[in-house]
Amino acid sequence: MTFYSLLRPLVFALEGEAAHRLSLAALKRLPLSHAAPNDPLLATRVAGLDFPNPVGLAAGYDKDGEVPTKMLALGFGFAEVGTLTPLPQAGNPRPRLFRLVEDKAVINRMGFNNGGQEAAVPRLAAVQGRGIIGINIGANKDAVDRNADYATGVRRMAPLASYLTVNISSPNTPGLRALQDEGALAELLAAVRAALPQNGPPVFLKVAPDLEPADIDAIARLSKGQVDALIVSNTTISRPPLASRFAGETGGLSGAPLKSLAQQRMIDFAKATGGAIPLIGAGGIASAQDAYARIRAGASLIQIYSALVYEGPGLARRINTGLAALLRRDGFASITDAVGVDVR
Ligand SMILES: Cc1cc2nc3c(=O)[nH]c(=O)nc-3n(C[C@H](O)[C@H](O)[C@H](O)COP(=O)(O)O)c2cc1C
């Protein structure tokens, strides 16, 4: 029994977004400062960055960069803040966040609610250098020129970011995912590279799981030499069978029902990139076994969000402990040795 299993009924009695806000407020006040020691087996180098362990916080939990160091203290090897847009934005009307308890899933149509990049700058400047903190950037809903919004995000946030994530895969900003189309993506990546300062941070690209084989090949091809890692994946607009009464809500689905699709997309991208670009796995990872399977399918790092809702704040530590045991059991001396062994 974990402390969170006692707290969980209280958290679930609250409306989804209220519970999320409460968890952020609690983290801000908690005196967490020292990260737990990491098993040396879990240390890994990806895109020129030294990660103490491969388990990251996915974007969307800490959109405004309020608690990244607290997440690192909870045992995450890296924390991704955002999505941050150039201008502050209210997002969609509420309710817009639904917990599908029977499915261990979440549906969200937040719509990039955030306080804007400018407001986040001082907060992120204050924690710079205290671990790997990625900044995920997006475009405002009413942007006339979306590429210009990404360029603004790159220029503004690059000096503060361990890495930047170009998020073109949220289903909740109309038309955003069309940036994954070949012509649009080529232009976007050119705009991003042009905006990146010399000696700027690595740039990651975050894609949707709802892609056809031809899209995957095009993204893999265009990404070579232009992005330093691909994050596979964001939430899905598909609807596998679900039991919860919220199953019909519009938005992106994440958590357990996304796992098999995200695992398959990891395999697809591993094959399409042939090891030329590091891959970061996200989608339905809730245990050390899930993390290990994603790594064996091609992921150099993994990220989690939805499982935190169901498993609580001790999850990153538990995954790391279990992952080190699985690697040792199978005779791997490092994460890198296990990356993609199932797809070779
Ligand atoms: C409530 C919520 C908000 C999210 N917001 C963002 C976001 O702002 N930017 C982004 O790139 N991904 C966002 N995501 C997607 C997650 O980062 C992740 O890719 C996805 O949820 C799959 O992982 P999971 O199954 O572990 O949750 C959000 C997910 C959830 C559940």
Side-chain angles (χ1 to χ4, degrees), residues 58-60 63 83 97 108 136 167 206 233-235 254-255 283-284 305-306:
K63 287 188 188 259
T83 295
L97 174 61
N108 92 82
N136 178 309
N167 175 20
K206 184 165 179 181
S233 71
N234 214 309
T235 58
S254 56
Y305 183 170
S306 300

Side-chain angles (χ1 to χ4, degrees), residues 80-251:
E80 187 168 316
V81 307
T83 295
L84 284 161
T85 53
L87 300 174
Q89 187 168 282
N92 288 319
R94 294 185 203 182
R96 53 191 180 176
L97 174 61
F98 305 89
R99 287 166 303 189
L100 285 67
V101 178
E102 296 85 347
D103 304 296
K104 291 208 167 182
V106 174
I107 290 177
N108 92 82
R109 52 168 179 271
M110 305 300 286
F112 287 171
N113 58 305
N114 76 107
Q117 289 161 1
E118 210 61 79
V121 163
R123 276 193 297 276
L124 293 169
V127 295
Q128 206 176 5
R130 288 171 51 191
I132 299 187
I133 300 174
I135 304 179
N136 178 309
I137 56 171
N140 278 110
K141 184 181 176 188
D142 54 7
V144 188
D145 180 351
R146 290 219 158 120
N147 288 356
D149 267 25
Y150 285 96
T152 298
V154 169
R155 270 192 297 271
R156 208 176 263 162
M157 306 317 284
L160 300 170
S162 303
Y163 67 85
L164 288 168
T165 296
V166 174
N167 175 20
I168 49 170
S169 48
S170 166
N172 302 313
T173 295
L176 192 84
R177 296 179 316 149
L179 292 172
Q180 296 175 126
D181 298 344
E182 192 162 356
L185 183 58
E187 279 180 30
L188 170 66
L189 292 178
V192 163
R193 298 301 330 175
L196 196 67
Q198 275 208 343
N199 303 317
V203 175
F204 301 171
L205 182 70
K206 184 165 179 181
V207 300
D210 311 308
L211 295 171
E212 299 300 323
D215 305 326
I216 295 170
D217 286 341
I219 292 170
R221 185 163 23 85
L222 291 173
S223 295
K224 272 180 205 158
Q226 301 275 36
V227 306
D228 300 283
L230 287 165
I231 304 182
V232 182
S233 71
N234 214 309
T235 58
T236 180
I237 55 167
S238 71
R239 288 293 181 272
L242 296 168
S244 160
R245 68 192 164 104
F246 296 124
E249 292 292 344
T250 299

